[in-house]
């Protein structure tokens, strides 16, 4: 150890001339410098994607699709932003900075059918996507909604996010049939690889065209997986193993799959994607810092920003004599 310290000190303290002479005696090492500009990248690439399982459909989404470099970069940034935001929310909840109940993702169905009815009524060629989980797929309200949506040919895409566990119960223990894309019975359905953004994109395009053509609703089951527990109070490993979670992370992570596709098809470089990672992390950290240090707004702003781009209107609060403005 003493000899090592002396050697380090001697190199630090030696004169510039001696350092140059010592460097001259060493064999030259190769230094690789990565120098790439945007012209080096491909503008687009064609990909083969997994075929969807079909129900009451003669044909499904295409198994070949094209992704541009611009699209890929936007997808990557959006997906990283969503993940970093949820990880930060998870952290802030565990630090008791976020109070109450923190569920990182959820959705509603029957309300979606009502929105789809409005879309049809106003005739603006709009559609509604109603998201729910595999656990909620066993509830009676789902089938009531399917019935009305089919009768009225509502432009609604019912999206079942099958992450294999409804709260803490596996789908095999909770459902007599795990073919959720067939649950609509008289409604057409698709089963999609929900871990592949290109599969989801093409299936969504197909489903949207189906609804807009006047054929009525369609069910789209996305086969996916959640890494964390169902809620902040769920450790997520009491009903499955750490090895199972790690295997999905290592083989099917949607961000990693997109990253590999882009790099392997010359749509982006690893360094460029790392820069996006750094920028997203910085954005989320700054947002969290602002949220945790900014003072609470005054009570009169309680109802601000309820709706976006809507004219201000009065909202009655807990005190019937006080009205709040919903200004954006």
């Amino acid at each position: 150890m003493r000899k090592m310290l002396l050697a380090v000190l001697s190199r630090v303290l030696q004169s510039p001339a001696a350092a140059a002479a010592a460097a001259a005696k060493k064999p030259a090492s190769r230094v690789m410098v990565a120098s790439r500009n945007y012209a080096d990248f491909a503008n687009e690439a064609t990909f083969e994607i997994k075929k969807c399982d079909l129900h009451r459909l003669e044909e499904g989404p295409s198994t070949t699709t094209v992704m541009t470099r611009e699209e890929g970069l936007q997808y990557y940034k959006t997906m990283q932003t969503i993940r970093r935001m949820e990880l930060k929310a998870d952290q802030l909840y565990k630090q008791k900075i976020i109070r109450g109940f923190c569920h990182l993702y959820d959705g509603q169905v029957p309300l979606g059918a009502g929105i789809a009815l409005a879309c049809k009524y106003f005739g603006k060629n709009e559609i509604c996507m109603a998201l729910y989980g595999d656990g909620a797929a066993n509830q009676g309200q789902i089938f009531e909604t399917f019935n009305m949506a089919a009768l009225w040919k509502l432009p609604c895409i019912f999206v079942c996010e099958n992450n294999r566990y409804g709260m803490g119960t596996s789908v095999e223990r909770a459902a007599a049939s795990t073919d959720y894309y067939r649950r609509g019975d008289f409604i057409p359905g698709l089963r999609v690889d929900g871990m592949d953004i290109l599969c989801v994109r093409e299936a969504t395009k197909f489903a949207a065209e189906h609804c807009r053509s006047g054929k009525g609703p369609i069910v789209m089951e996305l086969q996916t997986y959640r890494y964390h527990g169902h809620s902040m109070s769920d450790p997520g490993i009491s009903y499955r193993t750490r090895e199972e979670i790690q295997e999905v992370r290592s083989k099917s992570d949607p961000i990693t799959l997109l990253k590999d596709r882009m790099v392997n098809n010359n749509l982006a470089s690893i360094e460029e994607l790392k820069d996006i990672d750094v920028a997203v992390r910085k954005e989320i950290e700054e947002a969290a810092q602002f949220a945790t240090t900014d003072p609470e707004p005054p009570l009169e702003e309680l109802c601000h920003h309820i709706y976006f781009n809507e004219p201000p209107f009065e909202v009655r609060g807990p005190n019937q004599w006080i009205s709040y403005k919903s200004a954006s």
Side-chain angles (χ1 to χ4, degrees), residues 147-168:
N147 182 59
M148 297 308 298
L151 280 174
W152 296 342
K153 293 190 180 301
L154 300 181
C156 187
I157 304 175
F158 293 101
V159 183
C160 177
E161 294 174 283
N162 178 9
N163 59 30
R164 294 169 49 182
Y165 295 96
M167 296 188 74

Side-chain angles (χ1 to χ4, degrees), residues 116-310:
L117 176 61
C119 291
K120 184 175 183 177
Y121 180 82
F122 288 112
K124 296 181 180 179
N125 201 33
E126 296 175 335
I127 62 174
C128 176
M129 297 186 70
L131 282 69
Y132 58 100
D134 51 272
N138 297 320
Q139 297 177 358
Q141 58 183 338
I142 295 282
F143 301 96
E144 296 174 19
T145 307
F146 284 169
N147 182 59
M148 297 308 298
L151 280 174
W152 296 342
K153 293 190 180 301
L154 300 181
C156 187
I157 304 175
F158 293 101
V159 183
C160 177
E161 294 174 283
N162 178 9
N163 59 30
R164 294 169 49 182
Y165 295 96
M167 296 188 74
T169 305
S170 67
V171 293
E172 291 80 10
R173 294 180 58 202
S177 171
T178 58
D179 291 336
Y180 297 101
Y181 71 110
R182 295 176 177 268
R183 288 289 191 89
D185 188 14
F186 39 78
I187 297 177
L190 299 167
R191 181 156 59 189
V192 187
D193 181 357
M195 302 295 271
D196 183 345
I197 187 172
L198 295 183
C199 280
V200 174
R201 184 185 73 175
E202 295 307 307
T204 304
K205 286 181 181 178
F206 178 89
E209 291 172 3
H210 175 93
C211 290
R212 287 197 169 100
S213 67
K215 296 178 181 177
I218 190 169
V219 177
M220 191 163 70
E221 175 190 344
L222 302 184
Q223 291 189 316
T224 182
Y225 195 84
R226 56 174 164 80
Y227 299 148
H228 300 284
H230 182 262
S231 68
M232 298 294 99
S233 60
D234 173 15
I237 54 173
S238 58
Y239 46 86
R240 57 184 179 173
T241 64
R242 294 181 186 274
E243 290 74 20
E244 176 185 305
I245 300 171
Q246 185 56 40
E247 182 180 10
V248 176
R249 275 185 179 273
S250 61
K251 294 182 179 180
S252 304
D253 184 80
I255 296 179
T256 302
L257 290 177
L258 176 62
K259 178 180 179 180
D260 291 344
R261 274 178 170 159
M262 294 185 68
V263 173
N264 294 337
N265 288 273
N266 196 34
L267 292 175
S269 67
I270 294 178
E271 293 77 14
E272 186 176 19
L273 298 179
K274 283 183 178 179
D275 289 341
I276 293 177
D277 296 346
V278 172
V280 167
R281 187 188 294 268
K282 182 174 183 292
E283 179 184 6
I284 299 302
E285 289 297 332
E286 289 178 349
Q289 179 67 19
F290 172 79
T292 54
T293 58
D294 194 55
E296 291 190 9
L299 190 60
E300 57 267 20
E301 295 184 13
L302 180 65
C303 295
H304 283 194
H305 314 297
I306 292 180
Y307 292 98
F308 182 68
N309 285 342
E310 291 284 344

Side-chain angles (χ1 to χ4, degrees), residues 22-80:
K25 293 179 182 179
K26 294 182 178 179
S29 60
R30 295 179 63 189
V31 179
M32 302 297 291
V33 179
S35 177
R36 302 183 70 181
N37 55 45
Y38 294 135
D40 295 327
F41 296 112
N43 291 325
E44 62 181 36
T46 302
F47 300 94
E48 296 291 328
I49 56 177
K50 185 178 178 181
K51 184 179 180 180
C52 296
D53 295 320
L54 307 180
H55 172 63
R56 288 185 175 270
L57 292 167
E58 294 182 359
E59 60 179 357
S62 173
T63 56
T64 303
T65 187
V66 175
M67 181 175 67
T68 67
R69 166 179 156 80
E70 183 180 358
E71 288 172 340
L73 291 174
Q74 183 58 48
Y75 297 159
Y76 186 82
K77 181 180 179 182
T78 301
M79 293 166 75
Q80 281 288 22

